[in-house]
Amino acid sequence: MIKIKNEKQIELLEKAGEIVYDTHQELKKHIKCGITTDELNDIAESYIISQNATPSFKNYHGYPKSICTSINEEVVHGIPSNRKLKNGDIVSIDIGAYYKGYHSDSAWTYPVGDISEDKAILLEKTENSLYKGLEVIKEGCTTGDIGNAIESYLKKYNLGIVEVLVGHGVGSELHEPPDIPNYGKKKTGPVLKAGMVIAVEPMINLGAKEVLMLEDEWTIVTADGKPSVHFEHTVLVLKEGFKILTKR
Ligand code: MF3
Ligand code: CO
């Protein structure tokens, strides 16, 4: 069952979304060569707690940290560590905040110093694909319409759309129904209604779509070792359109 949120719940989801957005803005200032992903984790955790929220990911199915930091060929769920960011890296930062019973979830991929043209194109096209997916959202659209919009936009760039990981509903649980694939056919899948809240999150590879899990049982990497990026917003479905909750 896909939950429809009431006005009070939407207010809390909006607040949770603002906290996630503000945490991204805070971290952005610190993304430079030499900083470790543990340091980024700690900055995010302190900021979220200062806003009377808690990090959604910490202890989620045993996840050990407060954010995910996925570098280069790491697709998602990279665990912060003493690894330092270096010039030319790209780092996907995934942040969740839980505020008064409601979650919000947003990921963004950032360049570190000067990055290759290939990586820059991958960043640009994937960010664009997220907005292409969002633009079709309104009451009556289907999850397949969203996936189709993302896939259709990306078709001409010959990138790998990760299929085994998908977006999701968001609410009192971090992951709620429905799944939101980043590919698909129009008019397939569940129909969305006003008041539903979903996270749309294309994960796109410079090479093939195949991914593997590392021995830490969290980090997902591309099978061919090529870079991958991740952009995610949590959005509210409206009668006419949508509202991005993870921004201001
Ligand atoms: N934003 C991530 C997702 O939707 C959630 C990561 S939770 C973690 O898959 F615990 F795995 F970090
Ligand atoms: Co998510």
Side-chain angles (χ1 to χ4, degrees):
M1 192 210 43
I2 309 175
K3 289 182 198 155
I4 295 186
K5 276 77 180 181
N6 65 31
E7 240 172 79
K8 177 69 192 163
Q9 292 168 321
I10 288 167
E11 241 173 63
L12 296 173
L13 284 156
E14 282 173 335
K15 177 68 185 167
E18 287 174 2
I19 294 168
V20 168
Y21 176 78
D22 291 346
T23 309
H24 269 289
Q25 301 319 301
E26 186 58 35
L27 277 188
K28 229 163 113 173
K29 302 179 204 159
H30 296 274
I31 295 175
K32 293 195 184 96
C33 305
I35 193 161
T36 68
T37 49
D38 260 341
E39 289 171 306
L40 295 174
N41 179 80
D42 295 350
I43 293 164
E45 181 175 301
S46 307
Y47 184 78
I48 290 168
I49 290 169
S50 78
Q51 301 305 299
N52 302 314
T54 53
S56 299
F57 304 166
K58 198 170 188 176
N59 301 321
Y60 180 83
H61 296 281
Y63 185 73
K65 299 277 175 158
S66 292
I67 60 172
C68 302
T69 51
S70 309
I71 301 171
N72 299 332
E73 78 286 358
E74 297 173 352
V75 180
V76 289
H77 302 168
I79 305 174
S81 71
N82 60 7
R83 178 171 175 180
K84 289 188 166 111
L85 297 182
K86 59 181 205 313
N87 189 56
D89 284 345
I90 50 174
V91 59
S92 302
I93 307 240
D94 198 345
I95 304 175
Y98 183 63
Y99 179 76
K100 298 191 179 169
Y102 291 88
H103 292 278
S104 196
D105 189 7
S106 175
W108 218 253
T109 304
Y110 300 98
V112 183
D114 301 312
I115 60 170
S116 68
E117 197 182 332
D118 272 0
K119 283 178 171 173
I121 290 170
L122 180 64
L123 285 177
E124 184 198 325
K125 302 308 174 196
T126 306
E127 182 177 350
N128 290 347
S129 80
L130 168 61
Y131 291 105
K132 292 289 175 187
L134 297 181
E135 277 165 16
V136 302
I137 296 177
K138 60 176 182 183
E139 177 149 296
C141 88
T142 68
T143 57
D145 292 342
I146 299 172
N148 182 263
I150 293 170
E151 184 179 17
S152 304
Y153 170 75
L154 289 172
K155 200 161 55 194
K156 56 183 171 296
Y157 304 112
N158 198 27
L159 301 168
I161 300 180
V162 177
E163 292 176 356
V164 295
L165 299 157
V166 295
H168 50 92
V170 183
S172 56
E173 303 291 335
L174 177 62
H175 292 132
E176 297 186 353
D179 283 353
I180 314 285
N182 296 303
Y183 59 91
K185 291 195 170 67
K186 285 183 191 172
K187 297 185 175 155
T188 63
V191 177
L192 301 182
K193 296 202 179 76
M196 292 179 177
V197 174
I198 59 172
V200 179
E201 50 179 319
M203 289 152 272
I204 309 298
N205 302 343
L206 196 53
K209 67 183 178 187
E210 282 76 22
V211 298
L212 303 168
M213 186 187 279
L214 296 186
E215 275 167 16
D216 63 16
E217 294 196 341
W218 281 106
T219 313
I220 306 288
V221 296
T222 56
D224 60 14
K226 292 191 180 169
S228 182
V229 312
H230 184 201
F231 287 89
E232 175 183 31
H233 270 312
T234 298
V235 305
L236 169 66
V237 181
L238 302 173
K239 280 244 179 297
E240 285 302 331
F242 64 97
K243 181 182 179 190
I244 298 175
L245 301 182
T246 40
K247 71 176 240 189
R248 282 193 186 271

